[in-house]
Amino acid sequence: MTSTSHPVSIQPRTESDIPEQAQMLLDSKLALTINRLLFKDWPNETAQRKNYTNAIEAASKNPAIETLKVIDDETHSMVGYLVLTRQTPPEVKADPGTGDKKREVPESMNEEVFHAVMEAAGEVGMAKDIDHFELTHIYIKTSHRRQGIGSQLIRMAVVKAQNAEVPLAACSEPQVHEFLLKHGFKDTKHVDVDLGKWAPEFSGFGIFRISGMVISV
């Protein structure tokens, strides 16, 4: 059975799209194994939605972050999005009082799992002194998948990186790893997080791999 093709438009996301983007981000995270242990009282959708909405609102104020939305031309509804972040080397500041500090843990999250995820993402991410674009997130609703929309978004991100003559990097979760490989990303390094450390005995939780990936231009 083949999916029905939907004509779509890709355009900058607006402030009014934030609630819908937060819902789609929530939908994507509900399928993520590690989130069952990261969030207390799973699925705790109220806390998740608040967390994702806050993150999107903060990103909206960052000029280095660009979000493109995918609009179904027939229904005029938002069916996907891409978040792309320009990561430039930080300025060196002579301030001996500042150092690497652990991020504050949201009240709705389990502290040990949160820090494990942050440390893994930091380890596989591209070095801070390398100018690059980061594919921060990509999501297409299930009703609009397998129609080339995600591929189109990836191509747009690649062109931006090529025009800037910088790499395009990603910190990949397992469910998008094969998709990114298919579209030219190469593995650089990975960290395996053993979810069994926080899960009940014999619950079936295993290794969750966080992968660093890159397209060099």
Side-chain angles (χ1 to χ4, degrees), residues 29-75:
K29 297 300 185 182
L30 285 173
L32 204 60
T33 307
I34 199 168
N35 274 21
R36 294 177 176 269
L37 301 172
L38 176 60
F39 280 89
K40 300 175 183 177
D41 304 318
W42 180 262
N44 202 345
E45 292 190 19
T46 299
Q48 287 201 70
R49 185 176 289 103
K50 179 181 178 181
N51 179 69
Y52 302 141
T53 300
N54 290 343
I56 294 168
E57 289 175 344
S60 297
K61 300 172 184 176
N62 187 339
I65 299 177
E66 178 183 8
T67 302
L68 298 174
K69 64 180 178 180
V70 182
I71 299 295
D72 185 307
D73 291 339
E74 295 179 351
T75 64

Side-chain angles (χ1 to χ4, degrees), residues 82-87 126 130-137 153-162 164-171 180 183-186 188 212-217:
L82 170 89
V83 181
L84 193 64
T85 305
R86 181 67 180 267
Q87 302 282 11
M126 185 161 281
I130 298 177
D131 189 4
H132 65 282
F133 272 107
E134 174 190 274
L135 177 60
T136 307
H137 200 245
L153 289 173
I154 293 292
R155 285 195 296 270
M156 293 174 72
V158 170
V159 168
K160 279 185 173 290
Q162 289 175 335
E165 299 182 330
V166 298
L168 174 63
C171 179
L180 295 182
H183 288 84
F185 281 85
K186 305 295 183 183
T188 56
M213 308 182 77
V214 68
I215 294 179
S216 299
V217 299

